[in-house]
Coordinates of all heavy atoms in Angstrom, one line a residue:
E1 N 70.4 48.2 115.8 CA 69.8 47.3 116.8 C 68.9 48.0 117.7 O 69.1 49.0 118.1 CB 71.0 46.7 117.6 CG 70.5 45.6 118.6 CD 71.7 45.0 119.4 OE1 72.8 45.4 119.1 OE2 71.4 44.1 120.1
A2 N 67.7 47.4 117.8 CA 66.6 48.0 118.6 C 66.7 47.6 120.1 O 67.2 46.5 120.4 CB 65.3 47.6 118.0
T3 N 66.2 48.5 120.9 CA 66.0 48.2 122.3 C 64.6 48.6 122.7 O 63.9 49.2 121.8 CB 67.0 49.0 123.2 OG1 66.7 50.4 123.1 CG2 68.4 48.8 122.7
E4 N 64.2 48.4 123.9 CA 62.9 48.8 124.3 C 62.7 50.4 124.3 O 61.6 50.9 124.2 CB 62.6 48.3 125.7 CG 62.4 46.8 125.8 CD 62.0 46.3 127.1 OE1 61.6 47.1 128.0 OE2 62.0 45.1 127.4
D5 N 63.9 51.1 124.3 CA 63.8 52.5 124.2 C 63.8 53.1 122.8 O 63.7 54.3 122.6 CB 65.0 53.2 124.9 CG 64.9 52.9 126.5 OD1 63.8 53.0 127.0 OD2 66.0 52.6 127.1
T6 N 63.9 52.2 121.8 CA 63.9 52.6 120.4 C 62.5 53.2 120.0 O 61.4 52.7 120.4 CB 64.1 51.4 119.5 OG1 65.5 50.9 119.8 CG2 64.0 51.8 118.0
K7 N 62.5 54.3 119.4 CA 61.2 54.9 119.0 C 60.6 54.2 117.9 O 61.2 53.7 116.9 CB 61.5 56.4 118.5 CG 61.9 57.3 119.6 CD 62.1 58.7 119.1 CE 62.5 59.7 120.2 NZ 62.7 61.1 119.6
I8 N 59.2 54.1 118.0 CA 58.5 53.4 116.9 C 58.7 54.1 115.6 O 58.8 53.4 114.6 CB 57.0 53.4 117.3 CG1 56.7 52.5 118.5 CG2 56.1 52.9 116.1 CD1 55.4 52.5 119.1
S9 N 58.7 55.4 115.6 CA 59.0 56.2 114.4 C 60.3 55.8 113.8 O 60.5 55.8 112.5 CB 58.9 57.7 114.7 OG 59.8 58.1 115.6
D10 N 61.3 55.5 114.6 CA 62.6 55.2 114.0 C 62.6 53.8 113.4 O 63.4 53.6 112.4 CB 63.7 55.2 115.1 CG 64.1 56.6 115.6 OD1 63.8 57.6 114.8 OD2 64.6 56.8 116.7
V11 N 61.7 52.9 113.8 CA 61.6 51.6 113.2 C 60.9 51.8 111.8 O 61.3 51.3 110.8 CB 60.8 50.6 114.0 CG1 60.6 49.4 113.3 CG2 61.6 50.4 115.3
I12 N 59.8 52.6 111.8 CA 59.0 52.8 110.7 C 59.8 53.4 109.5 O 59.7 53.0 108.4 CB 57.7 53.7 111.0 CG1 56.8 52.8 111.9 CG2 57.0 54.1 109.7 CD1 55.6 53.7 112.4
N13 N 60.6 54.4 109.9 CA 61.3 55.2 108.9 C 62.8 54.8 108.7 O 63.5 55.5 108.0 CB 61.3 56.7 109.3 CG 59.9 57.3 109.3 OD1 59.1 57.0 108.4 ND2 59.5 58.0 110.4
N14 N 63.1 53.6 109.3 CA 64.5 53.2 109.1 C 64.8 52.9 107.7 O 64.1 52.0 107.1 CB 64.7 51.9 110.0 CG 66.2 51.5 110.1 OD1 67.0 51.8 109.2 ND2 66.5 51.0 111.3
P15 N 65.8 53.5 107.1 CA 66.1 53.2 105.6 C 66.3 51.7 105.4 O 66.1 51.2 104.2 CB 67.4 54.0 105.4 CG 67.4 55.1 106.4 CD 66.7 54.5 107.6
A16 N 66.7 50.9 106.4 CA 66.9 49.5 106.1 C 65.7 48.8 105.6 O 65.7 47.8 104.9 CB 67.4 48.8 107.4
F17 N 64.5 49.3 106.0 CA 63.2 48.8 105.7 C 62.6 49.4 104.5 O 61.4 49.3 104.2 CB 62.3 48.9 106.9 CG 62.7 48.1 108.1 CD1 62.5 48.6 109.4 CD2 63.3 46.8 108.0 CE1 63.0 47.9 110.5 CE2 63.7 46.1 109.1 CZ 63.5 46.6 110.3
E18 N 63.4 50.2 103.8 CA 63.0 50.8 102.5 C 61.6 51.5 102.6 O 61.4 52.2 103.6 CB 63.0 49.7 101.4 CG 64.4 49.1 101.2 CD 64.4 47.9 100.3 OE1 63.4 47.6 99.7 OE2 65.5 47.4 100.1
D19 N 60.7 51.1 101.7 CA 59.4 51.7 101.8 C 58.3 50.9 102.5 O 57.1 51.3 102.5 CB 58.9 52.0 100.4 CG 58.7 50.8 99.5 OD1 59.2 49.7 99.9 OD2 58.0 50.9 98.5
Y20 N 58.7 49.8 103.1 CA 57.7 48.9 103.8 C 57.8 49.1 105.3 O 57.0 48.4 106.0 CB 57.9 47.5 103.4 CG 59.3 46.9 103.7 CD1 59.6 46.4 104.9 CD2 60.2 46.8 102.6 CE1 60.9 45.9 105.2 CE2 61.4 46.2 102.9 CZ 61.8 45.8 104.1 OH 63.0 45.2 104.3
G21 N 58.6 49.9 105.8 CA 58.7 50.1 107.3 C 57.3 50.6 107.8 O 57.0 50.2 109.0
R22 N 56.6 51.3 107.1 CA 55.3 51.8 107.5 C 54.3 50.7 107.7 O 53.2 50.9 108.3 CB 54.8 52.8 106.5 CG 54.6 52.3 105.1 CD 54.2 53.3 104.1 NE 52.8 53.7 104.3 CZ 51.8 53.0 103.7 NH1 52.0 51.9 103.0 NH2 50.6 53.5 104.0
L23 N 54.6 49.5 107.2 CA 53.6 48.4 107.3 C 53.9 47.5 108.5 O 53.1 46.6 108.8 CB 53.6 47.5 106.0 CG 53.2 48.3 104.7 CD1 53.3 47.3 103.6 CD2 51.9 48.9 104.8
I24 N 55.0 47.8 109.3 CA 55.3 47.0 110.4 C 54.3 47.2 111.5 O 54.0 46.3 112.3 CB 56.8 47.2 110.9 CG1 57.7 46.8 109.8 CG2 57.1 46.6 112.2 CD1 59.2 47.2 110.1
F25 N 53.8 48.4 111.6 CA 52.8 48.8 112.6 C 51.5 49.2 111.9 O 51.6 49.3 110.6 CB 53.3 49.9 113.5 CG 54.5 49.6 114.3 CD1 55.8 49.9 113.8 CD2 54.5 49.0 115.5 CE1 56.9 49.6 114.4 CE2 55.6 48.7 116.2 CZ 56.8 49.0 115.7
P26 N 50.4 49.3 112.5 CA 49.1 49.6 111.8 C 49.3 50.8 110.9 O 49.8 51.8 111.3 CB 48.1 49.8 112.9 CG 48.6 48.9 114.0 CD 50.1 49.0 113.9
V27 N 48.9 50.7 109.7 CA 48.9 51.9 108.7 C 48.1 53.0 109.3 O 48.6 54.2 109.2 CB 48.4 51.4 107.3 CG1 48.3 52.6 106.4 CG2 49.4 50.4 106.7
N28 N 47.0 52.8 109.8 CA 46.2 53.8 110.5 C 46.6 53.9 111.9 O 46.3 53.0 112.7 CB 44.7 53.5 110.4 CG 43.8 54.6 110.9 OD1 44.2 55.3 111.7 ND2 42.5 54.7 110.4
D29 N 47.3 54.9 112.3 CA 47.9 55.0 113.6 C 47.0 55.4 114.7 O 47.4 55.6 115.8 CB 49.2 55.9 113.6 CG 48.9 57.3 113.3 OD1 47.7 57.7 113.2 OD2 49.9 58.1 113.0
S30 N 45.7 55.5 114.3 CA 44.7 55.7 115.4 C 44.5 54.4 116.2 O 43.9 54.5 117.3 CB 43.3 56.0 114.7 OG 43.3 57.3 114.1
Y31 N 45.0 53.3 115.8 CA 44.8 52.0 116.5 C 46.0 51.6 117.2 O 46.0 50.5 117.8 CB 44.3 51.0 115.5 CG 43.0 51.4 114.9 CD1 42.9 51.9 113.6 CD2 41.8 51.1 115.6 CE1 41.6 52.3 113.1 CE2 40.6 51.5 115.1 CZ 40.5 52.1 113.9 OH 39.3 52.5 113.4
Y32 N 47.1 52.4 117.3 CA 48.2 52.1 118.2 C 48.6 53.4 118.9 O 48.4 54.5 118.4 CB 49.3 51.4 117.5 CG 50.2 52.2 116.7 CD1 51.3 52.9 117.1 CD2 50.0 52.3 115.3 CE1 52.1 53.6 116.4 CE2 50.8 53.0 114.4 CZ 51.9 53.7 115.0 OH 52.7 54.5 114.2
S33 N 49.3 53.2 120.0 CA 49.8 54.3 120.7 C 51.2 54.0 121.3 O 51.6 52.8 121.4 CB 48.9 54.8 121.8 OG 48.7 53.8 122.8
G34 N 51.9 55.0 121.8 CA 53.2 54.8 122.4 C 54.3 55.4 121.6 O 54.3 55.3 120.3
E35 N 55.3 55.9 122.2 CA 56.5 56.5 121.5 C 57.5 55.5 121.3 O 58.2 55.5 120.2 CB 57.0 57.7 122.3 CG 58.2 58.4 121.6 CD 58.7 59.6 122.4 OE1 58.1 59.9 123.5 OE2 59.6 60.3 121.9
T36 N 57.7 54.6 122.2 CA 58.9 53.6 122.1 C 58.3 52.2 122.0 O 57.1 52.0 122.2 CB 59.8 53.7 123.3 OG1 59.1 53.2 124.5 CG2 60.3 55.1 123.6
L37 N 59.2 51.3 121.7 CA 58.8 49.9 121.6 C 58.3 49.4 122.9 O 57.4 48.5 123.0 CB 59.9 49.0 121.1 CG 60.4 49.3 119.7 CD1 61.5 48.3 119.3 CD2 59.3 49.3 118.7

């Protein structure tokens, strides 16, 4: 379960999202910033 303190990297790499977690946020991470949600 996510909260505002959940790290973006933990969402991307969460095993629940298999290999598509990396597509939840921009693939090129130059276009987003922030450590947490």
Side-chain angles (χ1 to χ4, degrees):
E1 184 175 2
T3 69
E4 292 186 12
D5 293 320
T6 298
K7 292 181 178 180
I8 293 172
S9 60
D10 287 341
V11 175
I12 292 172
N13 297 313
N14 193 328
F17 297 139
E18 301 174 0
D19 63 344
Y20 57 82
R22 56 185 290 277
L23 301 180
I24 295 174
F25 300 92
V27 170
N28 185 333
D29 62 13
S30 293
Y31 295 100
Y32 75 87
S33 62
E35 182 178 0
T36 69
L37 297 182

